[in-house]
Each structure stands twice: as structure tokens, then as C-alpha cells.
Amino acid sequence: MRVVSGLFLPVLLAEVWLVTSFNLSSHSPEAPVHLESQDYENRTWEEYTWTDPRTEKEEEYWLRASQQLSNETSSFGFNLLRKISMRHDGNVIFSPFGLCVAMVNLMMGAKGETKVQVENGLNLQALSQAGPLILPALFKRVKETFASNQELDLTQGSFAFIHKDFDIKETYSNLSKKYFDTEYVPTNFRNSSQARELINHYIIKETEGKIPKLFDEINPETKLILVDYILFKALMEWMNLGLKAIPGDERKWLTPFDPIFTEADTFHLDKYKAVKVPMMYREGDFASTFDKKFRCHILKLPYQGNATMLVVLMEKTGDHMALEDYLTIDLVETWLQNMKSRKMEVFFPKFKLNQRYEMHELLKQMGIRTVFSTSADLSQLSAVARNLQVSKVLQQSMLEVDERGTEAVSGTVSEIVAYSMPPVIKVDRPFHFIIYEEVSRMLLFLGRVVNPTVL
């Protein structure tokens, strides 16, 4: 099985795509390894019943569970950032939420140690103890929260490209449709070039050409490819989806930058190297704080629709990597609680990012190994599960930032006075960014900008 995840996140002409695909390939039969776990791990979906909290009017339970889901997904994201940083120190952009959605979609087809490892690796083992369907139900509720906010313009969907003779369990396909809105597309993987063109056609269509070639090649032994996507859009008309942007309804910063003030300026890569970038400018009210312990500035840049970007900038150039070891949900909450709004001048660069990661290697380091081996137990997905395994998980991310808004980041200072935030914040050195949805507090995108001139 092969997994590919791509994320597109441009600005103002902007939409954000996370495309995650799982490619199931066959392998030689081998007895799967099982792990002792809760009784429900060995039950079929038909044997287990879990009731959505809404039907029991347990909204308090839903709020607690969704908050825990948000916290654990964020923790997973910070852990994953640290794994990525061990491999390279350049620009980073990925979606913890999108990757979790895709893995939970797949996890509904897993059992035993395979399932337990995915739960543990995603930090979702505690929540899953309430039942095997609570995680899909929680993600569905979060998606419904996003969908109810028209200003947010966050859209999700899922495709399942299934080989014509692959015996997928009806129970799994029904659950995937129910919780992830999965659309099934018959595909002949034996004709790998034709299958590649078909899948890429769907991806091109859904991303308006922003991801023109997700698959370079496809294994003819593939049985199923699951593609999950997230769209955070701005100036696009989605005629093929039956959705059309309202004229003038553009994604904007709540405090947009005026293009007339954008000028070329210096961005310091380190103590010795610098590049020229288009530097944007805005004067207005911004929420910010300064962390005295870590000596960093945090700037809050809200979007329309209850989405927010936090910009985290170290006081000294070159210290940004050291902060990653300490990034936690508790630290971020402390920053948010200490935020104060004040009038200030903000400068930050226009930039584009384009990143792709082999997430399967990173997930293995986080303890998710069995699903990628011949011991994978995907018996909830198919009766031929002994011949299935996940071979690859990829995530591709693209980010573009301009004056009017959508995914971008900023937060730096030219001078530091005592422990207070200066009235001028100039983003002219490497920084981190965190994009989250205010209501659910779900971490949508996470990354860092080391060189804004490099894709």
C-alpha cells in the first residue's frame, strides 16, 4: 500500500490543499503480529456500537473530547516537526490535522498491533479507548464545524481509487463514506499508466491544477489508493464542485497589508548571509507577547472566518531551531493567554513554499511500523488483508503569502527593549508559524520559514 499526501497552501490567490493518498499493494502472505489490547480491538464493526454524543445530548462530552483531539493532534504536529528537523534545517510546511485525518481513515481498516501503533503514534490512544468509531466521529464533527463557517472556506473530501477485482469490505466502505465522505472510483491498476493519468486527472481537477502531477508512477500490484484532501481557499471559483465564490468575497487578513508599501528589504538567513525579499508593511492593532524564558516574540495574525496564524520569532538570528525542542500545546496556550493588543507597525516578507516529505519514514520513527510491513493487519478493510501493506506516505505542501492574506507568517523585531514588545515588528529573520482554527483550536498547518526566496 502506498500513501501520498499533498498539501497546497497559497495566499490570496489562495487555497490550501492537503492531499493524502494510501496505495495498497499486495505482499506475500505472512502471519500478522498481534498486540494485547482492549477487547474491542478484536471485534468487527458489526459487533461494536458507539453512539454519537449528539444523539445523547452530551455536548459537554463532545466539547471535552474535541478539545482533547485538538491538543493531541497539535502534540503530534510538534513531534513531527522535530522529526523533520532532524533531516533538514530548511523551510517546512505540513498539515498535522490533514495527516491525522488520512491516517484515521485508513485506521478504520486496521486491527491488533497495526491499529494500536497508529493510535499511539498519533497520540490518540486515550481517546480511542471510548470505542473504535469515536475518532472518525470526532473528526467528522470538527469538519462539520469548519463547514458551518462559510467565511473560513475550508473544504475536505476523500477519494478511493479501487482496483476492479479488489474485495473491499462493505462495512469499511460505508464507514469511510459516512465519516470522511469518500467517493469510490473504479480503477484498473494493472494498466499503471492509465491509472496514473486517471488519478492525476482527479487531483488536477480538485486542485484547479495546483498539484499537476501527484503521482509519477503507480505499482501495477496496487489494490487501493485513498486520497484525502483539505482545501483552504480564497479567490477561486469551484465550478466543478458546484461551489462558486461570491464576488468580492476574498480571503483576507483582518488587518491586510497595503501593496503600495511593499518594498525590497533585507532578510537575514544567519549572522553572515542575507537575501533581498519583498517586505510588506501594515500599521494597526495587533495582539502579541514576548516570552522572557525563550526570548522570542509571538505575533497573532487573524484571518476572516476564525482562522489565525501565530508567528514565532526568536530574539536572535540563528536561535530558531533550538525552540523546536520545547514547542508544546501548553507553551502555545501560555502565549495566547499572555497576548495583549496594541497599535504597532508590522513588516513581513512575501514568500512561497513548496515542500514534500516521505512521511512513512517519519511515522516509523514515531512508532508506526507494522502497517508498513508484511505483518500489517488490515482485515477490517479487506478479506485479503494478509496480502496488504502500506508502502509509502507522502505529503506535499505549497504555501504562498501576499498582502491580502491566507497562509503566511510574520513576527520579528529590529530592536529589543527590556522584555516588552517594541512598537515595530520587522520579520527579517527565520521564524515559525502555526495556523489554527479558533473554535476547535485545531492545528491546521505548521512550519518555519528559513529562506523566503527558496520554494
Side-chain angles (χ1 to χ4, degrees):
M1 169 171 171
R2 184 179 178 178
V3 185
V4 180
S5 136
L7 156 69
F8 174 66
L9 188 97
V11 177
L12 204 47
L13 287 171
E15 73 251 22
V16 179
W17 277 96
L18 169 67
V19 183
T20 307
S21 54
F22 297 99
N23 181 336
L24 275 75
S25 301
S26 59
H27 61 68
S28 300
E30 183 175 324
V33 179
H34 294 286
L35 182 71
E36 293 294 331
S37 58
Q38 300 294 326
D39 289 342
Y40 71 76
E41 293 291 348
N42 296 314
R43 298 182 186 179
T44 63
W45 296 116
E46 294 89 343
E47 294 172 330
Y48 195 96
T49 302
W50 180 78
T51 304
D52 190 314
R54 285 172 295 179
T55 62
E56 300 177 355
K57 298 182 179 180
E58 295 179 357
E59 201 61 28
E60 182 179 352
Y61 169 81
W62 152 247
L63 291 175
R64 292 198 309 269
S66 61
Q67 182 61 61
Q68 185 176 353
L69 179 70
S70 173
N71 290 345
E72 300 301 352
T73 301
S74 298
S75 295
F76 166 74
F78 295 135
N79 290 337
L80 188 56
L81 175 62
R82 286 184 273 273
K83 297 297 183 183
I84 293 174
S85 295
M86 294 175 65
R87 291 173 171 258
H88 76 95
D89 56 4
N91 296 333
V92 172
I93 171 68
F94 68 97
S95 172
F97 173 68
L99 186 56
C100 285
V101 168
M103 293 300 291
V104 170
N105 192 351
L106 174 68
M107 193 178 70
M108 291 194 303
K111 284 183 64 177
E113 183 180 12
T114 304
K115 183 172 183 289
V116 170
Q117 284 188 1
V118 175
E119 291 172 346
N120 292 346
L122 298 179
N123 289 340
L124 299 177
Q125 64 272 29
L127 273 172
S128 69
Q129 297 306 307
L133 292 180
I134 189 171
L135 290 176
L138 284 170
F139 277 110
K140 180 180 176 65
R141 287 293 302 263
V142 172
K143 291 169 58 178
E144 289 174 348
T145 299
F146 295 160
S148 65
N149 185 347
Q150 295 184 355
E151 285 189 325
L152 182 62
D153 274 343
L154 186 66
T155 305
Q156 294 179 265
S158 176
F159 289 101
F161 298 92
I162 182 171
H163 190 59
K164 56 184 180 180
D165 62 357
F166 180 61
D167 183 21
I168 191 169
K169 286 189 174 181
E170 184 178 358
T171 304
Y172 173 82
S173 63
N174 289 339
L175 289 170
S176 185
K177 290 176 183 177
K178 176 179 179 180
Y179 293 108
F180 298 98
D181 301 317
T182 304
E183 177 182 343
Y184 283 79
V185 181
T187 307
N188 181 10
F189 288 107
R190 291 295 182 183
N191 188 336
S192 58
S193 60
Q194 184 183 74
R196 183 185 67 246
E197 291 179 5
L198 174 66
I199 297 173
N200 282 335
H201 170 75
Y202 270 84
I203 300 303
I204 290 171
K205 181 180 178 182
E206 297 303 316
T207 64
E208 292 289 323
K210 301 302 182 180
I211 301 179
K213 194 177 182 181
L214 182 61
F215 289 98
D216 293 322
E217 60 181 18
I218 292 178
N219 189 327
E221 296 301 314
T222 297
K223 298 302 181 183
L224 174 69
I225 291 180
L226 293 176
V227 177
D228 290 274
Y229 64 86
I230 301 173
L231 168 65
F232 187 22
K233 69 187 181 72
L235 283 177
M236 299 300 295
E237 291 187 354
W238 298 97
M239 300 300 294
N240 57 310
L241 297 179
L243 300 177
K244 185 173 182 179
I246 300 173
D249 182 22
E250 303 172 354
R251 173 131 332 272
K252 297 180 180 179
W253 302 111
L254 289 183
T255 53
F257 296 80
D258 191 337
I260 196 172
F261 296 119
T262 300
E263 297 180 351
D265 206 341
T266 301
F267 187 95
H268 301 277
L269 305 180
D270 54 37
K271 294 180 180 179
Y272 309 103
K273 297 179 182 179
V275 294
K276 289 292 184 179
V277 299
M279 190 71 72
M280 302 181 293
Y281 169 82
R282 168 70 184 182
E283 179 182 347
D285 291 329
F286 292 88
S288 63
T289 189
F290 180 75
D291 190 315
K292 294 184 288 186
K293 177 180 179 180
F294 294 105
R295 306 294 302 177
C296 62
H297 302 270
I298 303 93
L299 178 67
K300 190 173 184 179
L301 298 176
Y303 300 111
Q304 293 179 355
N306 290 327
T308 296
M309 169 178 286
L310 289 184
V311 180
V312 184
L313 183 76
M314 300 302 290
E315 182 178 16
K316 295 182 179 180
T317 302
D319 288 353
H320 59 282
M321 295 294 289
L323 177 67
E324 293 180 359
D325 289 337
Y326 303 96
L327 281 176
T328 64
I329 186 64
D330 290 338
L331 180 59
V332 174
E333 285 296 328
T334 298
W335 289 341
L336 293 176
Q337 292 173 9
N338 292 334
M339 286 277 179
K340 293 183 179 180
S341 182
R342 69 185 76 183
K343 186 175 183 179
M344 61 179 65
E345 295 176 280
V346 171
F347 297 80
F348 77 83
K350 296 174 63 173
F351 62 90
K352 297 180 181 180
L353 302 180
N354 189 345
Q355 304 291 317
R356 175 179 288 206
Y357 306 103
E358 293 190 349
M359 290 295 187
H360 51 285
E361 296 298 334
L362 299 170
L363 292 173
K364 288 177 184 178
Q365 295 178 30
M366 301 176 78
I368 304 177
R369 299 186 182 90
T370 303
V371 73
F372 302 110
S373 74
T374 55
S375 298
D377 185 348
L378 297 171
S379 55
Q380 297 283 45
L381 190 149
S382 173
V384 295
R386 278 172 169 254
N387 296 324
L388 299 174
Q389 69 183 94
V390 179
S391 64
K392 188 174 290 187
V393 180
L394 303 176
Q395 188 174 81
Q396 181 175 349
S397 307
M398 298 175 66
L399 169 68
E400 181 180 353
V401 178
D402 73 3
E403 291 87 352
R404 289 179 289 178
T406 309
E407 296 49 55
V409 48
S410 88
T412 237
V413 283
S414 53
E415 294 183 7
I416 305 299
V417 180
Y419 296 123
S420 62
M421 197 70 161
V424 177
I425 299 180
K426 192 171 185 179
V427 185
D428 60 356
R429 64 191 70 185
F431 57 91
H432 288 82
F433 61 90
I434 300 169
I435 300 174
Y436 65 95
E437 196 271 334
E438 288 279 2
V439 177
S440 65
R441 277 315 203 15
M442 186 63 68
L443 200 166
L444 300 176
F445 304 103
L446 176 62
R448 66 170 178 246
V449 177
V450 175
N451 187 341
T453 67
V454 176
L455 289 178

